[in-house]
Amino acid sequence: MPDLNDILVFTKVVEMQSFTAAAERLGLTKATVSRKLADLEERLGARLLNRTTRQLSLTEVGEVFYERCSRIMADIDDAQALVTTRSEQVKGKLKVVMPIEFGQLLMGRFLGHFIQKFPEVELDVELTNRRLDMVQEGIDVSIQLGMGQDSNLIARRLGSSRKVLVAAPAYLQRCQVPDRPEQLAEHEIIMMKVFGETLSHWHFSRGGQRVSIQPRGRLQCNNITFAREALVSGLGIGHLPLFMALPYLNEGRLVRVLEDWQMDSAELYALYQSRQYMPKLLKTFLDEVSLLMQRVDELDTGCMIEPEHMIDRLMAQHLQEDISGEEQSAKLYTPS
């Protein structure tokens, strides 16, 4: 089979009507161009060009071969331009996987905002709490808690989600309110599982103090919404992401426990297959999610947000930043 590079040299010699000009255009020496053409003719077993000291001309078979090869090289150029253009534009299809509760409670409206902002984007979103084979299942990006253990994947930190320890007022009326993390051993604890493994260590800090405990609980679950409902019903003490607990704290259905102690945040990561040649769509998507998580982390338990309006407020802040950025760009390019 002929070498594609040799075919490129052949078509360029024909177009330029000169070995010297073709060599200059391709960044090769004239001797290299001559050798590659000779190699091509030897592989094909046919003479493609008639050469004289003054001019070049195609043989009969050379004309047929050039006609086909010129179309092939044009198709290759078009394909390369298409790939380059798509890699530089926010367009195309992205298959995204994320935890069920994270998708339901936070990402649904965000993704709606994202595809409105980028109308040439298609999203295929799967909500699951199971481990997936990204290559086997054709997944572009997986959003999850923690970096994961697959060294073949690139992990990008998107942000953190603050956790707060909470309980229902009814539960705390029945049981003594703990003053220190160690006293949680005397309480009913709602335990969370991630990928089938119970989060058995809780870490707290206050000032320069660090305390780690291994809580025990009769109720374990792998769904944060279920855990929240169990907490609201007064079954015990547990931790929730701040953005999820905030409306219930504001309503008084949940109250903070060990409020002067801070729990370690849950780190959110995006896993994808390669940093090299990252499409603009994937980079933009990760940048937008990272900005959203920054907004979430800035929430304060002191701010009053209705449950149904909390995400809308986050989205409004996100959208306002986009508008402000566009206005600023317009100012930068306004003619004087």
Side-chain angles (χ1 to χ4, degrees), residues 78 80-94 114 117-123 277-287:
D78 289 345
Q80 180 175 326
L82 177 64
V83 170
T84 301
T85 300
R86 290 184 70 88
S87 67
E88 294 174 349
Q89 295 180 351
V90 184
K91 64 188 300 184
K93 187 173 183 178
L94 199 65
F114 184 81
K117 182 178 179 181
F118 302 105
E120 295 187 81
V121 169
E122 295 180 37
L123 296 177
Y277 309 127
M278 178 187 288
K280 184 68 175 293
L281 169 56
L282 177 56
K283 182 181 184 305
T284 301
F285 176 78
L286 296 180
D287 288 345

Side-chain angles (χ1 to χ4, degrees), residues 149-179:
Q149 300 176 343
D150 191 338
S151 60
N152 294 318
L153 298 176
I154 306 299
R156 170 178 166 175
R157 183 182 179 276
L158 297 175
S160 60
S161 176
R162 282 192 288 164
K163 295 185 291 187
V164 289
L165 204 62
V166 295
Y171 174 81
L172 295 177
Q173 287 175 3
R174 300 195 310 266
C175 307
Q176 184 177 0
V177 179
D179 295 320

Side-chain angles (χ1 to χ4, degrees), residues 35-204:
R35 176 175 54 78
K36 283 185 173 293
L37 186 56
D39 290 344
L40 179 61
E41 290 178 324
E42 183 178 350
R43 287 196 186 92
L44 294 173
R47 189 173 184 82
L48 301 175
L49 285 173
N50 293 314
R51 307 164 178 82
T52 69
T53 55
R54 293 187 175 182
Q55 66 178 7
L56 299 172
S57 63
L58 287 165
T59 64
E60 181 180 357
V61 70
E63 288 183 2
V64 175
F65 188 66
Y66 172 73
E67 182 181 348
R68 293 292 184 92
C69 288
S70 61
R71 292 203 300 264
I72 291 172
M73 298 311 297
D75 287 343
I76 291 174
D77 288 341
D78 289 345
Q80 180 175 326
L82 177 64
V83 170
T84 301
T85 300
R86 290 184 70 88
S87 67
E88 294 174 349
Q89 295 180 351
V90 184
K91 64 188 300 184
K93 187 173 183 178
L94 199 65
K95 186 169 183 179
V96 185
V97 170
M98 63 187 67
I100 295 172
E101 301 81 9
F102 180 72
Q104 290 175 331
L105 299 171
L106 188 60
M107 291 297 288
R109 296 186 195 181
F110 165 77
L111 294 179
H113 161 74
F114 184 81
I115 60 177
Q116 286 179 359
K117 182 178 179 181
F118 302 105
E120 295 187 81
V121 169
E122 295 180 37
L123 296 177
D124 180 356
V125 182
E126 180 176 347
L127 305 184
T128 180
N129 290 335
R130 65 184 178 92
R131 293 187 186 275
L132 299 173
D133 186 323
M134 293 185 60
V135 177
Q136 187 73 22
E137 302 192 39
I139 298 166
D140 296 305
V141 59
S142 174
I143 297 175
Q144 66 177 47
L145 294 176
M147 296 179 62
Q149 300 176 343
D150 191 338
S151 60
N152 294 318
L153 298 176
I154 306 299
R156 170 178 166 175
R157 183 182 179 276
L158 297 175
S160 60
S161 176
R162 282 192 288 164
K163 295 185 291 187
V164 289
L165 204 62
V166 295
Y171 174 81
L172 295 177
Q173 287 175 3
R174 300 195 310 266
C175 307
Q176 184 177 0
V177 179
D179 295 320
R180 293 188 54 82
E182 297 89 341
Q183 295 174 350
L184 292 173
E186 304 167 7
H187 288 266
E188 291 286 349
I189 302 297
I190 311 298
M191 303 291 292
M192 286 298 305
K193 296 194 296 185
V194 177
F195 296 132
E197 298 180 4
T198 302
L199 301 176
S200 57
H201 288 78
W202 291 4
H203 306 286
F204 297 85

